[in-house]
């Protein structure tokens, strides 16, 4: 069993207290709650909120590099989901990750709430006594299959998602003629598995059907009622 020290308990109590202060501050200032995360207990909704709110993460592949074949390889990547729950990407076949994924399309995308101040800011920020590894600083790993969607009907969805969050990609040639020699194309992570920690007590494994069944209303994730 794990025994927590008094200092650990005190720090975690401080985290909860600071989080409550943040919520009260938002209510007093009139900031719309819809812009923030759903309750931490609603795991599928929370995961959808993270995918919709974050704009980059770390994609992981099975390496094909000489001397690293078969080892995990992580690489930052920009993405957008257009409120669908599916991360869309604009990538180049010259990128080592894409070389890996061409050989083995199994992929994971890791997100952290340390990217935003909207989620338990004091739990993520070092200056507030937090840390990205602190459980209330939510982390989400989406896993599945890497797929090229260029030339398919889904390409329009990918373009809408990426132009909304990464306008610089227009100049890369993601949506028209690519920068010479880079051959950027549109792709997605076809999500089949979700792992998330957003509070103490261990990780949650989220059912993909429940995840995709969440309805986003003004970026507020809500579980679809039967």
């Amino acid at each position: 069993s794990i025994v927590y020290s008094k200092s650990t308990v005190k720090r975690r109590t401080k985290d909860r207290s600071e989080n409550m202060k943040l919520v009260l501050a938002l209510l007093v200032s009139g900031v719309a709650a819809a812009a923030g995360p759903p309750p931490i207990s609603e795991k599928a909704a929370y995961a959808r909120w993270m995918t919709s709110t974050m704009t980059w993460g770390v994609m992981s592949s099975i390496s094909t590099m000489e001397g690293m074949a078969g080892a995990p390889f992580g690489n930052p990547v920009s993405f957008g989901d257009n409120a669908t729950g599916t991360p869309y990407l604009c990538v180049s076949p010259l990128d080592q990750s894409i070389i890996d994924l061409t050989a083995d399309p199994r992929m994971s995308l890791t997100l952290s709430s340390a990217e935003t101040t909207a989620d338990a800011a004091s739990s993520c920020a070092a200056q507030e006594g937090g840390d990205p590894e602190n459980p209330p600083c939510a982390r989400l790993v989406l896993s599945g299959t890497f797929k090229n969607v260029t030339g398919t009907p889904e390409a329009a969805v990918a373009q809408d998602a990426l132009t909304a969050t990464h306008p610089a990609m227009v100049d890369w040639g993601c949506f028209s003629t690519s920068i010479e020699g880079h051959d950027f194309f549109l792709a997605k992570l076809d999500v089949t598995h979700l792992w998330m920690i957003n509070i103490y007590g261990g990780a949650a494994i989220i059912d993909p059907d429940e995840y995709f069944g969440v309805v986003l209303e003004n970026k507020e994730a809500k579980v679809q009622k039967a």
Side-chain angles (χ1 to χ4, degrees):
S1 62
I2 299 174
V3 178
Y4 295 113
S5 66
K6 289 183 179 180
S7 61
T8 300
V9 173
K10 183 177 180 181
R11 184 173 65 253
R12 293 181 175 180
T13 300
K14 177 187 175 185
D15 287 340
R16 290 191 291 269
S17 175
E18 291 299 323
N19 292 345
M20 182 57 68
K21 288 179 182 178
L22 176 63
V23 172
L24 290 175
L26 289 172
L27 292 174
V28 171
S29 64
V31 176
I40 58 174
S41 60
E42 295 182 7
K43 303 300 184 182
Y46 207 101
R48 278 293 300 276
W49 173 81
M50 288 187 70
T51 307
S52 180
T53 303
M54 311 303 163
T55 60
W56 69 275
V58 175
M59 60 177 169
S60 298
S61 58
I62 308 295
S63 181
T64 59
M65 282 189 289
E66 184 176 354
M68 276 195 65
F73 179 73
N75 193 3
V77 68
S78 298
F79 75 93
D81 86 321
N82 203 22
T84 65
T86 296
Y88 291 100
L89 322 168
C90 172
V91 291
S92 167
L94 300 179
D95 189 302
Q96 181 59 51
S97 295
I98 308 310
I99 294 172
D100 295 344
L101 292 167
T102 300
D104 184 338
R106 290 177 294 173
M107 171 185 165
S108 289
L109 178 66
T110 302
L111 311 181
S112 170
S113 284
E115 181 185 335
T116 175
T117 58
D119 172 28
S122 63
S123 295
C124 297
Q127 63 268 30
E128 297 290 340
D131 190 88
E133 199 172 334
N134 190 20
C137 184
R139 67 194 85 162
L140 172 66
V141 181
L142 306 101
S143 300
T145 304
F146 174 82
K147 294 184 177 180
N148 186 340
V149 300
T150 300
T152 73
E154 203 168 357
V157 180
Q159 179 172 341
D160 287 345
L162 292 168
T163 52
T165 52
H166 302 283
M169 289 183 176
V170 173
D171 295 331
W172 298 359
C174 288
F175 318 118
S176 56
T177 303
S178 178
I179 295 176
E180 185 176 354
H182 288 75
D183 298 324
F184 283 101
F185 65 93
L186 299 174
K188 73 173 182 179
L189 172 59
D190 189 7
V191 179
T192 57
H193 188 275
L194 300 102
W195 177 101
M196 184 181 72
I197 290 178
N198 66 344
I199 194 59
Y200 307 109
I205 304 300
I206 301 167
D207 183 278
D209 289 338
E210 186 179 355
Y211 169 80
F212 285 109
V214 171
V215 175
L216 290 183
E217 297 179 6
N218 297 321
K219 282 212 168 186
E220 180 181 12
K222 295 183 178 179
V223 176
Q224 179 69 57
K225 303 298 184 182

